[in-house]
Amino acid sequence: MKITRLKTAVVEGNFDWTFVRLETDEGLRGLGECFFAPGLTAILKSLEPLVIGEDPRDIHRLFRKLRLGTSGAGSIAGIIYNAISGIEAALWDLLGQSLGVPIYRLLGGRFRDKIRIYADCHGGEALECLDEVLRSRPARWVLKGPAAHVAKDYFGEVSDEPRSSPDDYRRRALAMKAQGFTALKFDFDVPGTEGADPYNRVLSNRAIDYGIGLIAAAREAVGVDTDIAVDCHWRYNPCDVVKVARQLEPFRLLWLEDPVPPENVAALKEVNAKVGVAIATGENLFLFEGFQEIIAQHAVSVVTPDLQKVGGLAVAQSIAQFADVHSMPVAPHNISSPVGTLTAAHFCASIPNFLALEFHASAVPFWDDLVTGLPHPLIQRGFIRLPEQPGLGVTLNEEVARRYARKGEAFFE
Ligand code: MG
């Protein structure tokens, strides 16, 4: 079997869901999804010559070939791997289809047949749509009327927009619990908690009190049996975020995510050692090498690789194995469509130390309609049942995908 074409399509969900399709001379087509990035489809097209004519079943060798081919550009990490992650997933899909088995079988089989999903609840509001440089954009699918909410640019100046309230957090927590989710994640870094200066990583006492009040409301609403994680998006300095974490200790969080920049191992380690809350990081780290130090030094307590970014399924398995040796659970970050979510689900089934997989698109009305051939909705009572069909186990609904395709991008052409 030989790869004959690499094609891409971008669907405008709450993020740019970027698909890569590998076509073969035997008629099989493999599908993968990449985490969004500026210029991503151009990178994918640049990589096409490296896989044309290759046997897609040589996954590890092709990964190495892509790695070597991009190393001269200095890409020892970074958005090249958003592209490679999608290609690698498409290779596993092809291998599974060619052998007639689901991807999780190729990864060594399963520890569980349904995958626990946690619901990202943002800042208590429902809708958010960001472009590839985290600017807020109006999405075509955003509801009109009072329920509509367009987020501010993710990293921007302090604005006087209405702040989230404890009631927002309470309502959102109860709504997601009612859908059956047993784990939720809320943002701590919402307007009101960025301090007077959005760039200096400093938190005022008032900002801390405000943020703690939001999390307290969510915890009070759902009780102790629903897990709650809290995300800081690498905004703060260690000293101030330790103050936050200590006040969060009574709420018995599942984890506190990205309290400080993930590339700062010393700062992470400082926070993790000082507080009685599990510190999690990983969504911005690449390859095994990106996780090696933070795991070996116990700078975190939970690792959160993103399957559409980290380098692929095999890389993620090596990270999970190393984390398991260090007795750490893995909770993959995920903002993808059902395609990337299922890729992650196969991985989650195959590792012993799985904790929960993220779902970030509860506000996108067509999320479930993007794929066919699986239960609808895909997430039922907070779990995804692992598909048994060959490969990834899902078919992209191209009619729906085309309806929300990003203008100016190719659509599998
Ligand atoms: Mg996060």
Side-chain angles (χ1 to χ4, degrees), residues 177-194:
K177 182 181 179 178
Q179 288 182 30
F181 289 100
T182 59
L184 314 173
K185 184 167 82 183
F186 283 93
D187 293 347
F188 182 86
D189 58 323
V190 290
T193 58
E194 66 274 84

Side-chain angles (χ1 to χ4, degrees), residues 9-12 19 21 29 140 366 368-372 395-406 411-412:
V10 180
V11 168
E12 210 175 288
F19 301 108
R21 189 164 81 195
R29 306 197 304 193
R140 272 169 281 162
F366 62 92
D368 277 299
D369 302 331
L370 262 179
V371 292
T372 56
T395 308
L396 188 69
N397 184 334
E398 291 197 21
E399 193 192 317
V400 175
R402 191 183 286 275
R403 198 180 308 153
Y404 299 102
R406 181 157 179 182
F411 189 86
F412 297 125

Side-chain angles (χ1 to χ4, degrees), residues 118 120 185 187 231-234 257-258 283 333 358:
Y118 76 86
D120 185 282
K185 184 167 82 183
D187 293 347
D231 200 344
C232 297
H233 299 98
W234 48 94
E257 183 167 314
D258 287 315
E283 69 182 80
H333 179 259
E358 183 165 11

Side-chain angles (χ1 to χ4, degrees), residues 348-393:
C348 295
S350 77
I351 61 169
N353 47 338
F354 166 66
L355 178 54
L357 169 66
E358 183 165 11
F359 170 57
H360 207 291
S362 59
V364 183
F366 62 92
W367 192 83
D368 277 299
D369 302 331
L370 262 179
V371 292
T372 56
L374 290 173
H376 193 287
L378 185 58
I379 302 170
Q380 300 197 3
R381 304 303 298 167
F383 286 83
I384 290 178
R385 190 158 286 284
L386 212 54
E388 289 296 333
Q389 294 93 320
L392 182 59

Side-chain angles (χ1 to χ4, degrees), residues 36-367:
F36 69 87
L40 183 56
T41 49
I43 292 173
L44 284 162
K45 280 316 263 186
S46 297
L47 299 179
E48 183 180 27
L50 294 175
V51 297
I52 295 293
E54 292 282 6
D55 187 329
R57 295 167 296 188
D58 293 334
I59 299 172
H60 295 324
R61 185 178 62 78
L62 288 179
F63 175 80
R64 183 60 67 102
K65 185 179 181 184
L66 290 163
R67 188 170 185 176
L68 291 171
T70 53
S71 62
S75 299
I76 57 169
I79 61 178
I80 287 278
Y81 285 94
N82 298 26
I84 292 175
S85 297
I87 294 172
E88 200 247 23
L91 295 173
W92 286 105
D93 185 23
L94 282 170
L95 177 61
Q97 290 182 53
S98 73
L99 296 173
V101 296
I103 287 175
Y104 77 81
R105 284 272 167 240
L106 306 171
L107 299 176
R110 68 185 186 203
F111 283 89
R112 54 197 69 81
D113 60 7
K114 53 180 197 166
I115 305 304
R116 186 192 186 197
I117 304 297
Y118 76 86
D120 185 282
C121 301
H122 307 287
E125 85 285 5
L127 296 174
E128 178 178 80
C129 185
L130 297 169
D131 74 5
E132 72 279 13
V133 288
L134 302 179
R135 289 177 308 168
S136 167
R137 66 181 172 193
R140 272 169 281 162
W141 44 265
V142 168
L143 304 168
K144 301 284 180 271
H149 173 94
V150 177
K152 67 166 187 171
D153 294 355
Y154 214 80
F155 291 93
E157 299 291 343
V158 178
S159 70
D160 51 9
E161 73 175 286
R163 294 176 174 187
S164 304
S165 72
D167 266 342
D168 294 332
Y169 276 55
R170 195 174 291 122
R171 266 196 300 269
R172 191 94 174 113
L174 287 171
M176 299 316 275
K177 182 181 179 178
Q179 288 182 30
F181 289 100
T182 59
L184 314 173
K185 184 167 82 183
F186 283 93
D187 293 347
F188 182 86
D189 58 323
V190 290
T193 58
E194 66 274 84
D197 184 324
Y199 297 110
N200 69 1
R201 305 194 181 285
V202 171
L203 275 163
S204 66
N205 288 334
R206 188 177 295 274
I208 293 173
D209 289 348
Y210 168 70
I212 298 294
L214 298 175
I215 306 305
R219 169 53 82 210
E220 190 193 50
V222 298
V224 292
D225 291 332
T226 300
D227 284 319
I228 296 179
V230 172
D231 200 344
C232 297
H233 299 98
W234 48 94
R235 284 192 203 255
Y236 304 122
N237 70 63
C239 182
D240 285 349
V241 91
V242 163
K243 293 181 204 164
V244 172
R246 286 189 173 148
Q247 291 203 49
L248 289 172
E249 281 172 6
F251 303 125
R252 299 157 77 181
L253 299 184
L254 194 56
W255 67 73
L256 180 67
E257 183 167 314
D258 287 315
V260 295
E263 65 273 23
N264 191 337
V265 180
L268 268 177
K269 192 174 177 180
E270 180 186 338
V271 177
N272 200 40
K274 278 184 174 168
V275 302
V277 180
I279 298 302
T281 203
E283 69 182 80
N284 284 338
L285 300 175
F286 295 88
L287 301 172
F288 176 80
E289 292 84 338
F291 288 81
Q292 189 172 7
E293 276 302 297
I294 61 163
I295 294 172
Q297 293 202 34
H298 286 241
V300 293
S301 298
V302 177
V303 290
T304 59
D306 189 302
L307 272 289
Q308 281 67 53
K309 187 194 256 183
V310 73
L313 285 152
V315 162
Q317 274 210 316
S318 69
I319 293 163
Q321 218 160 46
F322 194 57
D324 190 46
V325 169
H326 291 264
S327 307
M328 282 178 205
V330 177
H333 179 259
N334 174 43
I335 58 156
S336 58
S337 82
V339 173
T341 301
L342 275 172
T343 300
H346 284 284
F347 161 76
C348 295
S350 77
I351 61 169
N353 47 338
F354 166 66
L355 178 54
L357 169 66
E358 183 165 11
F359 170 57
H360 207 291
S362 59
V364 183
F366 62 92
W367 192 83

